[in-house]
Amino acid sequence: MSGLADLFPLLNDSLWHGFAVFLRVAAIVSMLPAFGEQTVPARVKLIIALAFTLIVAPAIPAMQMPASFGISTFLILTEVLSGLALGIGIRLFILALQTAGTIAAHATSLSQVLGGAGVDPMPAMGYVLIIGGIALAVMTGLHVKAAELIILSYEFMPMGRFTDASILSDWGVAQVARAFTLAFTLAAPFVILSVLYNVALGAINKAMPQLMVAFVGAPVITAGGLFLLLVASPLMLSVWVQAMDRFLANPFGPIP
């Protein structure tokens, strides 16, 4: 009986430590590509969060149970907010793919084709890029990189401490700027194709005013956009996954 009595405090501390880690892990998993999608059932997300917790908890220094309810509440808030901040930073890469697809679709007159195929309304190009990007990220070990990110996050965001608001806001603005820069970089070939198409169409219309250039040019830009998607999407997705890998390896490092 004495052995069991000595075991109970240790068990309580271990359960509390696991719960504290679970708070941050669950917040990150809810935003994580593939694992945190809206189409994934909540029960599956819970199992994924528990699995990540079992992986991460042994690598984090154990924390004893707080002595008061106020300290416990403060710890819960800090862990949830830290997890959400990191999760949103990762989620912005999905937003970059969605934005790149929208820019490409509008540039090539494909914005209305299968516009409601996804959970969020988006052109078909954006949906194809997101599905391809998620598949590529999972194939290249997203679960391992996410676990490493969570363990690394405790060095920059210690358990039970709020990150300074000015530092967090500057970091968030930088991540949003990087997401939109990445989106335009990925969609640049389609924007260039659109500019060349409109310049050529204007020259043809100037030379032959009686020709209905819109009826001739519409199939050309549509076919050109689809062909460019076929050719450029592997390179686009490789650039995207490399950018996300750099973030997962060092989320608070300098932005290239």
Side-chain angles (χ1 to χ4, degrees), residues 85-218:
L86 289 172
I88 292 173
I90 303 173
R91 197 69 195 174
L92 285 174
F93 286 92
I94 298 296
L95 175 64
L97 270 184
Q98 182 176 345
T99 305
T102 301
I103 295 173
H106 280 283
T108 55
S109 301
L110 291 170
S111 58
Q112 301 302 322
V113 179
L114 299 179
V119 176
D120 297 324
M122 72 182 80
M125 278 190 179
Y127 189 64
V128 169
L129 290 176
I130 288 177
I131 295 299
I134 290 175
L136 181 61
V138 173
M139 291 172 60
T140 54
L142 176 62
H143 56 293
V144 177
K145 298 169 187 175
E148 294 175 349
L149 168 68
I150 297 171
I151 295 173
L152 179 65
S153 69
Y154 285 93
E155 297 182 9
F156 300 96
M157 295 178 169
M159 186 180 294
R161 296 184 187 177
F162 273 121
T163 305
D164 187 83
S166 60
I167 297 176
L168 191 60
S169 62
D170 292 341
W171 176 82
V173 170
Q175 302 312 312
V176 173
R178 172 163 62 179
F180 281 100
T181 301
L182 178 61
F184 188 80
T185 302
L186 296 177
F190 298 90
V191 176
I192 295 173
L193 175 65
S194 177
V195 171
L196 294 177
Y197 162 77
N198 284 286
V199 170
L201 210 63
I204 295 173
N205 188 42
K206 187 71 174 178
M208 302 177 62
Q210 70 277 12
L211 179 66
M212 300 295 291
V213 292
F215 292 101
V216 177

Side-chain angles (χ1 to χ4, degrees), residues 19-77:
F19 173 70
V21 173
F22 174 79
L23 293 172
R24 181 176 299 196
V25 168
I28 294 177
V29 168
S30 66
M31 298 286 181
L32 201 63
F35 302 107
E37 302 299 326
Q38 296 183 28
T39 53
V40 178
R43 295 178 182 177
V44 176
K45 292 180 183 178
L46 177 61
I47 297 300
I48 294 173
L50 290 174
F52 272 108
T53 302
L54 293 176
I55 296 171
V56 173
I60 307 301
M63 183 178 183
Q64 294 183 348
M65 184 180 298
S68 64
F69 176 76
I71 299 176
S72 301
T73 303
F74 181 79
L75 178 64
I76 291 172
L77 290 176

